[in-house]
Amino acid sequence: MKSVNLPALLLRARLRAERIGPGACAALVLCVLGVAAWGWLLPQRAAQRQELARPLPVQAAPASVVAPPSANQNLAGFYDVLGEQRYAEQQIKLLFGLAAKAGLELNQGEYKFGYDQASRVTTYQVVLPVKGSYRAIWQFVLEALRAIPFAALDEIGFRRDNVTDTQLEARLRLTLYLKGTAMAVQP
C-alpha cells in the first residue's frame, strides 16, 4: 500500500489553484459546497415527501350539526340586546358616573329621542361636552361602550385652545338604541 504524503498533496493543490486563478477557484469551491448541501438536503426532502404522501387522518363528523339561526331568530337576538326606553335616564346617570370616575369635567349635555320606523327602534342621542386629558377621554368612551352595550359612538371631536394645554375639550355624540314605541317618544 502506498502512503500519502500530505504536504506534497497540498503543494500540488496550491500550484494548480494558482495556475487556474482565483475566480475559477471560487467557482470550484462553490460547486463543491453546492454538491455537499444537495447531498445533505436530499434525505430530508425525501422524508418530507413521505410525510406529505401519507393520508390525513379522517376526523369523525360531529354527532349533531347545529343549524345556523333563522332570520327571525337573528332579529329576536338583536331586539334582546337593545336597552329599555324606560331606563334611558339611568343610562345617562351611568355616563355621568363613568365621566367622574375617569376624572373628566362633564357639563350638561344635549339629549334627543328619535324613532326609526323601519327598524322599530327608539334612539336616544346624547351630546356630551367633556374636559380632561386625551387619555381620560378615551378611557371614558371605552368604559361607556363596555357598560352600555346598546350604545354607539357616532362622533368625537377634540379641541385645545393652546398647544401647551394639557386639558382638552371634547364633544361626544353617543346614540343609545332602545326598545320602545313611537308614541312614547313624542315630545
Side-chain angles (χ1 to χ4, degrees), residues 104 106 126-130 137 140-141 153 155-158 170-174:
L104 297 177
L106 179 61
V126 181
V127 178
L128 299 173
V130 296
I137 292 170
F140 162 68
V141 169
L153 176 64
E155 180 182 343
I156 186 167
F158 294 98
R171 184 176 182 270
L172 309 170
R173 186 165 49 100
L174 298 160

Side-chain angles (χ1 to χ4, degrees), residues 42-76:
L42 191 62
Q44 293 177 359
R45 295 278 297 176
Q48 284 178 346
R49 283 191 183 133
Q50 286 177 347
E51 181 72 25
L52 291 174
R54 194 168 10 137
L56 293 174
V58 179
Q59 295 181 355
S64 64
V65 176
V66 178
S70 68
N72 288 336
Q73 289 170 329
N74 281 337
L75 187 60

Side-chain angles (χ1 to χ4, degrees), residues 20-140:
I20 62 172
C25 286
L28 183 62
V29 167
L30 287 176
C31 287
V32 169
L33 289 175
V35 168
W38 181 73
W40 179 68
L41 290 174
L42 191 62
Q44 293 177 359
R45 295 278 297 176
Q48 284 178 346
R49 283 191 183 133
Q50 286 177 347
E51 181 72 25
L52 291 174
R54 194 168 10 137
L56 293 174
V58 179
Q59 295 181 355
S64 64
V65 176
V66 178
S70 68
N72 288 336
Q73 289 170 329
N74 281 337
L75 187 60
F78 168 75
Y79 284 113
D80 287 342
V81 174
L82 297 177
E84 295 286 335
Q85 182 178 345
R86 64 181 176 224
Y87 300 123
E89 288 79 21
Q90 291 177 356
Q91 303 304 326
I92 300 304
K93 278 185 181 179
L94 178 62
L95 286 174
F96 273 80
L98 290 172
K101 181 180 171 186
L104 297 177
E105 181 183 325
L106 179 61
N107 295 325
Q108 71 182 40
E110 300 172 23
Y111 313 99
K112 183 173 84 174
F113 272 108
Y115 185 76
D116 182 23
Q117 194 72 20
S119 63
R120 298 185 321 253
V121 172
T122 300
T123 60
Y124 192 34
Q125 196 171 77
V126 181
V127 178
L128 299 173
V130 296
K131 289 183 183 178
S133 70
Y134 183 81
R135 181 183 183 124
I137 292 170
W138 275 112
Q139 180 182 2
F140 162 68

